[in-house]
Amino acid sequence: MPPDHAASPMPGASLERWQNSEVNLRLRDNAPIQLPVDEIFARVGGDTELLAVLVGLFKLDAPTTLSEIRRALDNNDAPALERAAHRLVGSLLTFHASAAAQPARALEIAGHHELLSDAEPQFAALQRELPRVITALDHLVSPLQP
């Protein structure tokens, strides 16, 4: 992308590539992942720079938050589980990653209601989905990078 388009809130060429589409990938496990591109771009007002920054921050924060969730489960710390899972749910929904947000939301609820004994399957699902979301987001923003 030329430098003069990088500062524009809605660079036509980059955004047009994704209009009315989804990121549709088959990952190594051959399971598809879909992210609604139009909704993601709408969330950031079409600002591709902002999207790239948000994806970068998510990629830095999500593994740390996943570790916090694991630690909360290991320590039977329901309030910590609720807080960490809530933060991750919000981040995932920013990108309309509902398949990963569902187990994160279930963990948040488990923490809220102090039902940690049944949370392991949800944590396992989140562990499977989170790298898939990161891969899809990388696929989404890589063509937008200068």
Side-chain angles (χ1 to χ4, degrees), residues 95-134:
F95 302 111
H96 298 274
S98 57
Q102 289 173 353
R105 177 70 175 132
L107 289 166
E108 178 186 7
I109 292 168
H112 181 77
H113 294 289
E114 299 185 6
L115 300 171
L116 278 60
S117 61
D118 297 331
E120 286 300 328
Q122 298 302 329
F123 182 74
L126 183 58
Q127 279 186 298
R128 281 189 307 273
E129 287 299 318
L130 197 55
R132 297 163 46 74
V133 170
I134 290 170

Side-chain angles (χ1 to χ4, degrees), residues 18-120:
W18 297 113
Q19 298 237 312
N20 300 316
S21 65
E22 291 185 333
V23 172
N24 243 329
L25 297 176
R26 283 203 179 272
L27 303 179
R28 284 186 211 157
D29 61 4
N30 207 31
I33 183 167
Q34 297 178 340
L35 296 176
V37 174
D38 287 347
E39 292 175 31
I40 293 170
F41 276 109
R43 175 73 47 100
V44 296
D47 187 334
T48 56
E49 284 183 19
L50 176 59
L51 179 60
V53 167
L54 291 174
V55 168
L57 291 172
F58 177 76
K59 287 172 55 178
L60 288 173
D61 187 55
T64 301
T65 305
L66 189 66
S67 294
E68 289 174 23
I69 291 170
R70 175 76 268 161
R71 193 169 32 260
L73 289 169
D74 290 346
N75 295 330
N76 289 318
D77 187 343
L81 174 61
E82 182 180 9
R83 282 190 307 273
H86 177 79
R87 193 168 65 248
L88 192 54
V89 168
S91 296
L92 288 164
L93 291 179
T94 296
F95 302 111
H96 298 274
S98 57
Q102 289 173 353
R105 177 70 175 132
L107 289 166
E108 178 186 7
I109 292 168
H112 181 77
H113 294 289
E114 299 185 6
L115 300 171
L116 278 60
S117 61
D118 297 331
E120 286 300 328

